[in-house]
Amino acid sequence: MKNTKNLPFNDLREFLDNKCVQYETPAFIEHDPVAIPHYVLATGGRKEDIEIAAFLSAIIAWGQRPVIVKNAFTLLSLMDERPYEFVMNAGTHEFKTLKSFVHRTFNSTDLVFFIKSLKQIYAVHGGMEKVFSDGFAETETVKGAIIHFRKLFLQQRHEPRAEKHLSDPERNSAAKRINLFLRWMLRKGCVDFGLWKGIPASALVCPLDVHTGNVSRALGLLTRTQSDWKAVEELAAALRSLDADDPVRYDYALFGLGMYEGFGR
């Protein structure tokens, strides 16, 4: 499609709505990191198993998708496919079983810290859903929810290098991987789980990566050249003008157009 920046509003919405239908299908799951929490669901995992598997899969979701999926399944196997029980009971022996794990710059030292922090989140703070929901209640923004979660998560002793794996929107990071995780947890669809109720889907923002950014700029939805939190908020406003109740459903259209059709390159 040519001259997409000049498309009338209704034509742009129709174009993207059709792309949502094309790409938001069960077939999307198999080759995406969301396959890992779906596997946990299909094998009888509890809510906490699903959200921990989703969180850790999202945290390592950068690089080539086949490698991400492979390594996320490896991580799930190391946790005996029941991550909540593993997290809550992990000790010296369990941490030793994680020594072989690495995904790009995320190594076993980072993983042990994440496991310990997750245990604290569940044992002390009521779980991930409560922490994110409490943060949202204070600010009524996803940004506030992420900042609140990050603050509690980093209370556990850790090496400074580990902080780069939990992006900070307060420092203008796009926080793509955390926003991906929140889409999975909060939005209900054939791909997304809709397990959490404390934050409305209308408040979600798009996980901004190279594909969604390039396509959004080509379509005139985004003018900012940097893919940072300011760009996330600009795109969020544009997508809410298309669908105020479920703006991040367009993530499927934007990602699919870029990943599979080379749109915006």
Side-chain angles (χ1 to χ4, degrees):
M1 178 174 287
K2 298 179 180 180
N3 301 320
T4 50
K5 285 188 178 181
N6 299 318
L7 277 177
F9 177 82
N10 287 337
D11 289 347
L12 175 61
R13 181 160 57 187
E14 182 181 5
F15 172 64
L16 289 175
D17 284 347
N18 288 336
K19 290 299 177 181
C20 286
V21 172
Q22 179 179 346
Y23 289 114
E24 189 188 357
T25 68
F28 181 91
I29 296 170
E30 181 181 357
H31 303 292
D32 189 81
V34 78
I36 289 80
H38 271 284
Y39 173 83
V40 173
L41 174 63
T43 56
R46 59 195 291 178
K47 170 181 175 285
E48 292 83 1
D49 289 316
I50 296 166
E51 60 194 22
I52 292 172
F55 178 71
L56 293 175
S57 298
I59 288 297
I60 66 168
W62 86 101
Q64 296 181 343
R65 290 169 86 208
V67 176
I68 297 167
V69 173
K70 176 179 177 293
N71 287 343
F73 269 119
T74 296
L75 177 53
L76 182 65
S77 178
L78 290 172
M79 295 189 291
D80 299 320
E81 298 190 356
R82 287 298 177 262
Y84 180 69
E85 182 178 351
F86 185 92
V87 164
M88 299 309 291
N89 296 291
T92 303
H93 173 73
E94 287 75 18
F95 293 144
K96 284 182 179 179
T97 68
L98 304 178
K99 281 190 174 181
S100 63
F101 185 80
V102 62
H103 175 78
R104 303 190 70 164
T105 63
F106 188 88
N107 62 26
S108 60
T109 300
D110 302 318
L111 178 56
V112 168
F113 158 61
F114 268 65
I115 297 297
K116 290 179 177 179
S117 290
L118 285 170
K119 182 175 182 177
Q120 183 180 42
I121 289 291
Y122 283 97
V124 178
H125 301 292
M128 281 197 284
E129 178 178 7
K130 185 178 188 305
V131 171
F132 275 106
S133 297
D134 287 349
F136 180 81
E138 292 175 3
T139 62
E140 295 188 352
T141 66
V142 163
K143 180 179 181 180
I146 294 172
I147 291 169
H148 179 67
F149 174 80
R150 192 175 186 274
K151 179 181 178 181
L152 295 182
F153 196 88
L154 295 177
Q155 287 179 347
Q156 186 73 28
R157 186 176 179 180
H158 62 278
E159 294 183 9
R161 66 177 302 280
E163 296 187 13
K164 67 183 178 181
H165 298 299
L166 199 63
S167 300
D168 188 0
E170 208 164 26
R171 294 188 177 182
N172 206 29
S173 168
K176 173 251 180 179
R177 287 172 281 168
I178 303 177
N179 284 318
L180 178 64
F181 167 68
L182 290 175
R183 195 199 79 202
W184 291 346
M185 293 297 98
L186 291 160
R187 184 181 178 273
K188 183 66 175 176
C190 64
V191 177
D192 302 314
F193 295 87
L195 287 177
W196 295 358
K197 307 304 178 185
I199 302 174
S202 59
L204 290 171
V205 298
C206 191
L208 185 60
D209 65 8
V210 63
H211 299 295
T212 55
N214 288 343
V215 173
S216 296
R217 293 179 185 100
L219 292 171
L221 295 169
L222 180 61
T223 60
R224 188 169 176 82
T225 56
Q226 292 176 271
S227 291
D228 54 16
W229 192 265
K230 290 180 181 178
V232 167
E233 292 185 332
E234 181 187 345
L235 179 58
L239 296 181
R240 287 184 187 119
S241 73
L242 298 173
D243 188 336
D245 295 327
D246 189 15
V248 296
R249 71 186 180 93
Y250 291 110
D251 185 29
Y252 292 97
L254 300 175
F255 179 80
L257 282 163
M259 179 71 179
Y260 301 111
E261 301 184 35
F263 193 95
R265 293 179 187 170

